[in-house]
Amino acid sequence: ICNLMSVFHDEVELDEFDYDEETETYTYPCPCGDLFTITLGELEDGEDVARCPSCSLLLKVLYDPKELEGGLKARVPSKAKATS
């Protein structure tokens, strides 16, 4: 673990991230065109830095660890079937 101070591109609330239930990964658009990513497991372990795999930018993820225990999920694209 590196104890160097990180410079963040931005700070973003976890509920602004998209969540993929299949991969348990939260994503947020990066200015480079790729996506910042952080997994549910990383969040549960206390991690709060989302990284972009295509550039050096970092995001500080703002969230309450207690909410993860309650099964917090960010915006999940609706897959509900329309009823008529």
Side-chain angles (χ1 to χ4, degrees), residues 32-46:
C32 80
D34 205 343
L35 296 170
F36 291 102
T37 62
I38 190 165
T39 66
L40 180 58
E42 290 170 328
L43 291 166
E44 290 172 337
D45 289 341

Side-chain angles (χ1 to χ4, degrees), residues 17-82:
F17 280 68
D18 287 320
Y19 182 73
D20 183 318
E21 289 182 332
E22 195 169 303
T23 62
E24 294 189 330
T25 301
Y26 290 87
T27 58
Y28 188 82
C30 180
C32 80
D34 205 343
L35 296 170
F36 291 102
T37 62
I38 190 165
T39 66
L40 180 58
E42 290 170 328
L43 291 166
E44 290 172 337
D45 289 341
E47 180 68 52
D48 64 355
V49 179
R51 294 170 170 79
C52 176
S54 297
C55 71
S56 61
L57 294 179
L58 303 173
L59 270 189
K60 173 86 170 175
V61 182
L62 305 176
Y63 72 103
D64 181 351
K66 295 175 191 167
E67 291 179 352
L68 289 177
E69 296 169 9
L72 170 72
K73 299 289 184 273
R75 295 182 303 168
V76 178
S78 177
K79 297 178 183 174
K81 295 180 182 176

Side-chain angles (χ1 to χ4, degrees), residues 1-20:
I1 297 177
C2 184
N3 290 329
L4 297 176
M5 180 181 275
S6 297
V7 177
F8 296 105
H9 167 69
D10 202 355
E11 295 183 353
V12 179
E13 295 281 345
L14 185 60
D15 64 1
E16 294 182 37
F17 280 68
D18 287 320
Y19 182 73
D20 183 318

